[in-house]
Amino acid sequence: MPVTIAKERWTSKVGELVLGTEPNTVKIGGESTLPFLHFEGEMPNRPQVALEVWDMEPAGWPEILTAPYAGVLNDPVAWAKKCVEYGADLVCLTMISAHPDNKNTSPAECAKTAKAVADAVDVPLIILGCGVEEKDAQVLEAVAEALAGKNCLLGCATPENYKTITAACMVHGHNIIASSPLDINLEKQLNILITEMNLSADRIVIDPSVGALGYGIEYAYSIMERTRIGALTGDKMMAMPVICLVGQEVWKTKEAKSSAEEAPEWGEQAKRAILWEVITSATFAQAGGSLFVMRHPDSLKQFRVHIDKMMESNAY
Amino acid sequence: MGLTGLEIFKRLPKTNCKDCGQPTCLAFAMAMAAGKAGLDQCPHVSDEAKEALGAASAPPVALVKIGTGEKQWELGNETVLFRHDKRFEHPTAIAISVSDTMSADEISAKVAKINKLVFDRVGQTHSVNLVAVENASGEADKFAAAVKVAFDNTELPLLLISEDTAAMEKALEVAGSKKPVICGATAANYEAMTALAKKYDTALVVKGTNLSELADLSEKVIALGHKQLLLDSGAREVNKVLADQTQIRRQALKRFRPFGYPTIAFVTSTDPFQSVVDAGIYITKYAGLMVMSSADPADILPLVTLRLNIYTDPQKPIAVESKIYEIGTPGADAPVFVTTNFSLTYFCVAGDVESARVPGYILPVDTDGISVLTGWAAGKFTPEKITEMLQGCGIADKVNHRKVIIPGGVAVLSGKLQELSGWEVLVGPRESAGIASFLKQRWSA
């Protein structure tokens, strides 16, 4: 009995977005199907992976995570080069030192660091602030100017600070991450607010504020599924690629941080921690993530192998 | 797909007698449409209506039970493609395999390891569900011997993997009493395998080499009168399994009967990382039963966690137990945080307190698992409830100060709470990410 393959006829697709400058660009988005269902649509760009670099030496990272970056953790330029060596498609520079509780680094100082990193590596850059909305607006404004024309991805913009960051992205030719707290309506609303300032919709990336495996992964998973279905059925304000800041969530979890001595019933830490980061990412790739920010080079490697397999056609 | 509440309502007796536990017949009809009530709860419904509703409201994916007794596991009854459309009903059963080429000692050692794969997540225990025994040797006696070792050493149901009917028959003589899953029927052996499955009244895996052949075979087995089936499309590479799983679920929802059964997926990658990642995809994407070979807790913990997350009812938030939680090893001067028992809320706060590297106590007040602002709006996160928690849980004996930190979102509670509880109330940041800097600036016991 021949089975007729059930194919959805999607009417629209996710917008495509280019990061970086020729010849070193990275393209994300453009999907006209649910993730990896090659039998009913196109997935022109594979999910891309960035490794994270901090502008100050991280405290509290487990040894298994600092080991691959030994010797470069207090030098963002050397660290970024290391990430490229490990095969990162992009580098995600996080201005953690700008936080008032850390060094309260000035916007001008952050801009200098960003410039130095941008000059040292060829891959496109994602620049994240420290999470304090007011400060991030100042920092990202200065960074946007220093990196004018480099076509970076800046974030995270929230309803509190999107105006400054959007304006900076428009003037200096960058793209913006619109961040919403696990809420599909707020997600859409922020995209509308940003496009109303005349930044084109194909320069926005959605950050749904993902949680790690075991820590609310299912909320972001469903929000991303709904975002993708929205994009495929023609909702222009949900048709942006989605970024998943996976590393920062995964490496907060007990499962990634505890050693085998602390948690003997959980097995070897080296394997468990990497799996935590890879499975969190692979699960979000199934829900429609296009850009992944990870921390461990082994996670990057394993996730890549997985994506290679998923990108092979399964057309009938 | 399914019947609407109104369609069901038309056939109900309309007595509004409440015997079904619902306030009205219409409410009962709506509950049935949502899959939260069954027709048998109404004692007054006519046989004719029963028949009309029963057939039409039968689930698109049949319910299949595996094993016996306490470790019995149910599969199927699924009604949606996306969990946000309703919910995923029955969590993927995880089977770990042993091979009959291993020695009896090796098998019993691995089975002992499998038995120990039990983890505590959000206050509940979660474990793997089956031991699979593979007839890799191709010999019937070796298979029966291996099945015997597994059978004697575990309470878990078994999955018997052999396409040789003679071997299967011998294995069933050993293990048939506990309803093992028979794996399985192919185009070549389906008549004999179906007879065995019927004899032992147990679930049978039907394997095709592609979707069309699977549909054929499934129809033939159904025609022989056996309806406890698991479907295997033959796909083994993760990208193809994804496509086939999606097709089988989609077609089942369109009431294509040959595919109206739960599926089985096999992890065949030999790479220690990739095999676990593949397994994760199968759990996310519709597999009723998933078979893999690793019994390493570092591999199984992420999978059990993923299964729990994906199969959580999106309409029913998970709650953590309302009690004192210690982060780090807090002393008598440690800060005390109040939050709600919505698991996501609790884990956000716990994670941020932990990363602040200041040991502390967290008291999640029982709000039936809803978040801080929702709980406040619903009158479940009130000064009275917080006071009750502060006075009833024994935190007063653990700290020598009387200061409590409440979420910034409910700052408006502080006056009343201070008055009722007698504790000094500090208003924390609106977002738990601000806890570290809040403690730095404001906390001294």
Side-chain angles (χ1 to χ4, degrees), chain B residues 122-123 319-328 330 335-337 339-341 346-347 350 353 359-365 389 393 395 398:
Chain B
V122 212
V320 294
E321 195 189 336
S322 178
K323 61 168 192 183
I324 302 173
Y325 289 85
E326 300 185 351
I327 307 295
V336 176
F337 298 89
T339 186
T340 75
N341 74 334
Y346 169 75
F347 283 121
V353 170
Y361 297 97
I362 302 179
L363 310 181
V365 172
M389 177 95 192
C393 70
I395 185 68
K398 292 195 177 247

Side-chain angles (χ1 to χ4, degrees), chain A residues 1-6 39-40 101 214 217-219 221-222 226 255 266 271 275 302 305 309 312 314 316, chain B residues 82-84 121 212 216 219 239 243-244 247 250-251 273-274 278 284 297-299 302 305 309 342 437:
Chain A
M1 179 198 304
V3 171
T4 319
I5 298 302
F39 61 78
E40 66 185 16
D101 290 343
I217 194 175
E218 70 273 28
Y219 294 89
Y221 180 81
S222 286
R226 290 172 65 188
E255 289 80 356
W266 288 351
K271 193 154 190 221
L275 278 172
Q302 293 295 342
V305 174
K309 292 191 286 182
E312 272 176 45
N314 50 21
Y316 289 97
Chain B
F82 302 102
R83 60 186 291 283
H84 62 256
R121 306 281 338 166
S212 296
D216 259 348
E219 281 224 310
N239 59 326
D244 281 0
Q247 283 301 325
R250 275 188 189 172
Q251 312 253 6
F273 275 96
Q274 292 300 319
D278 288 357
T284 327
D299 291 344
T305 308
N309 289 163
F342 176 29
S437 64

